[in-house]
Amino acid sequence: GRLRTAYCSLVEHVRPSKLTVCKNAVTPLLCYICLSTVNALSYNASSGVANARVAGVGLDVPISHAPGSMPLEPKTWKQRCSRPDTEQWHQAEIKEWNTLMSQDVFEVVDLPNDRDVPFIKSRWVWKLKVNLDGTVTYKARLVARGDLQDEDTYDETYLPTSRAVGWRTLCSIGCQEGHFFRQFDIQCAFVSADIDRELYMSLPQGLHLPPGKCVRLKKSLYGTKQAGRLYYEKLRDWMLAYG
C-alpha cells in the first residue's frame, strides 16, 4: 500500500537530475542522485592538449589527450618518475602516507622468520580528480595487491549493497513526510575497520624501509579482499548499537 504509493509517486515526479519540492521546501535527493562531475578542462582540438588548473599549486599543467602521448595518469612507477608533474604526484604520495600513519593502519616490524605467515604486496594507484570548479587535484593511494592475495588470508568478502529501488522508495517516503535528505562522505572508510587476521605487507617503490623490515597491517587497507566486508561489519555494529 504505502510503499507502492510512494514508489509510484517517485517514478512520476522525481528524476535523477532534479530537486524535489516537498511542503514548500526544496529537498535535494543527494542520497540517490548521482551528480556526475562536469569535465571543466579546456580542450584544444588542434593540439590535443587540455589545460587544467591544479588546486593549491597555481599553475596550468598540460594534460595530453593526443594518441600515443603521455597518459593522463601514470600506471607504473617508471611512468610516474618520468613525467613533468612528478613532484605533484610525490606530494600526493606523502599526503597519503601521512594519512595512513595517522589512522594507525600498519606498523613497521621485523620480517617474520616463518615463511608460512601471510604476506602480501602493495602498489601505488594515481588518479587526477577534477573538482567542480574545474581545478585538478593529484590523488595517490597506497593499496594492497588483493589480486595476488592467497585464499588463506581472508574469509568473507561479501559486502551487501542497497538496490536503487530501495533508495528511490525511501526518498519518496521522505518527500511525503517532508524530511530533508543529506549526503555525507566518510573519509578513509575502509581503513577505519580492524583487520581480521595477521597480515604482513611489503611496501611499493618510493617507500623505503630499513633492511629486514616490513609492515604488519592493523586495519583493512584498500585492496585487501576483505576490506569492504570488514567495514560493513563495523558500520553495522555501530548502527545497531546506536539504535
Side-chain angles (χ1 to χ4, degrees):
R2 183 180 182 185
L3 287 177
R4 179 179 294 276
T5 302
Y7 176 76
C8 293
S9 174
L10 181 67
V11 172
E12 181 179 359
H13 298 291
V14 178
R15 294 296 179 268
S17 61
K18 297 181 179 180
L19 300 179
T20 303
V21 179
C22 295
K23 296 183 179 179
N24 300 323
V26 177
T27 306
L29 304 183
L30 297 180
C31 62
Y32 164 67
I33 300 173
C34 215
L35 297 176
S36 57
T37 304
V38 178
N39 189 346
L41 298 177
S42 58
Y43 183 72
N44 187 331
S46 60
S47 62
V49 174
N51 291 325
R53 192 98 183 147
V54 180
V57 177
L59 52 88
D60 290 331
V61 176
I63 302 178
S64 176
H65 288 263
S69 62
M70 183 178 63
L72 286 175
E73 300 153 346
K75 301 298 183 183
T76 65
W77 180 254
K78 183 178 180 180
Q79 290 181 2
R80 182 279 210 202
C81 295
S82 61
R83 297 168 61 94
D85 55 353
T86 182
E87 179 59 29
Q88 282 78 20
W89 292 118
H90 177 60
Q91 294 301 320
E93 292 161 4
I94 293 177
K95 182 178 180 180
E96 170 71 359
W97 174 260
N98 291 336
T99 299
L100 294 179
M101 294 301 293
S102 66
Q103 295 291 325
D104 198 26
V105 175
F106 40 64
E107 61 179 349
V108 179
V109 298
D110 294 328
L111 279 171
N113 296 323
D114 187 359
R115 294 185 178 182
D116 294 331
V117 298
F119 202 91
I120 57 178
K121 296 181 179 181
S122 61
R123 62 159 296 176
W124 287 109
V125 174
W126 302 277
K127 291 292 181 182
L128 285 174
K129 179 183 178 182
V130 182
N131 304 310
L132 292 177
D133 60 357
T135 60
V136 173
T137 303
Y138 286 81
K139 305 283 287 186
R141 175 157 287 175
L142 177 63
V143 301
R145 289 290 304 272
D147 57 318
L148 302 178
Q149 198 170 342
D150 295 331
E151 292 184 358
D152 59 351
T153 60
Y154 62 91
D155 291 320
E156 292 288 339
T157 61
Y158 173 70
L159 175 63
T161 57
S162 59
R163 299 180 60 183
V165 64
W167 280 112
R168 294 169 69 181
T169 302
L170 178 64
C171 291
S172 180
I173 295 176
C175 288
Q176 291 183 356
E177 298 294 333
H179 296 159
F180 190 85
F181 291 86
R182 292 184 181 274
Q183 181 193 36
F184 61 92
D185 179 50
I186 300 178
Q187 298 291 330
C188 306
F190 281 10
V191 296
S192 64
D194 297 329
I195 198 69
D196 58 345
R197 61 184 60 219
E198 190 175 36
L199 278 178
Y200 295 88
M201 187 180 75
S202 61
L203 296 180
Q205 290 178 292
L207 295 175
H208 305 285
L209 291 174
K213 297 289 185 179
C214 66
V215 297
R216 184 176 67 86
L217 291 182
K218 302 171 69 175
K219 300 294 181 64
S220 55
L221 183 65
Y222 293 100
T224 55
K225 289 185 177 295
Q226 63 265 51
R229 175 72 183 188
L230 295 176
Y231 172 69
Y232 156 71
E233 291 177 348
K234 179 171 184 176
L235 179 63
R236 177 200 62 193
D237 294 342
W238 179 84
M239 295 182 68
L240 290 175
Y242 187 77

